Amino acid sequence: MEAVGYEENKFHGSVHTGAYNHGIGTQKTGSVIKSELNWHIFEIDWQEDKIMFAVDGEVYFTFAPDDLTDSAKWPFNQDFHLILNIAVGGSWGGVQGVDAASFEGDGQNMELDWVRVYSR
């Protein structure tokens, strides 16, 4: 799940693999428009053969590669870590520059009410 500062109210669900990534122009991403002023339930449903991205119960992107045996397309048949972070700049988020004033005062915050990880 990604959000870019200059794209207000737009959230992205992206999958990064050896075969599918922005570096080679093959990224697999879906987007949804939701108010960033409201609380939402973001979901990533990682199943044996697909990954679905949803907000407030609405699936907006499903990644289901054509070959689950190719680890460059589907490396998701092993354990992974959950990482929550705020990234600033880079080749996507920084393409329009970084607003230094947005770090004054309270700066940038990522507010979470809860995170749930479960197994089927």
Side-chain angles (χ1 to χ4, degrees):
M1 311 283 307
E2 301 173 298
V4 179
Y6 63 82
E7 296 179 324
E8 293 183 10
N9 301 311
K10 190 171 189 178
F11 300 92
H12 308 278
S14 302
V15 173
H16 306 277
T17 72
Y20 304 120
N21 64 77
H22 66 284
I24 58 176
T26 57
Q27 66 273 8
K28 300 293 183 182
T29 301
S31 303
V32 65
I33 304 295
K34 294 286 181 177
S35 172
E36 59 191 36
L37 299 177
N38 299 327
W39 287 94
H40 299 285
I41 297 175
F42 291 89
E43 304 170 51
I44 302 174
D45 186 356
W46 173 7
Q47 298 183 16
E48 187 175 314
D49 60 346
K50 64 186 171 187
I51 298 175
M52 296 182 299
F53 294 82
V55 177
D56 301 330
E58 174 190 336
V59 174
Y60 66 91
F61 176 59
T62 299
F63 174 72
D66 58 359
D67 185 356
L68 297 174
T69 64
D70 182 348
S71 64
K73 292 181 177 181
W74 187 256
F76 306 110
N77 57 358
Q78 57 189 310
D79 291 340
F80 277 76
H81 296 280
L82 178 65
I83 300 172
L84 306 172
N85 73 315
I86 297 176
V88 177
S91 60
W92 184 17
V95 73
Q96 293 187 13
V98 175
D99 180 10
S102 68
F103 293 95
E104 296 174 2
D106 290 335
Q108 297 295 306
N109 298 297
M110 177 171 46
E111 296 180 273
L112 302 171
D113 188 27
W114 50 269
V115 174
R116 177 174 48 192
V117 177
Y118 59 92
S119 177
R120 292 178 190 244

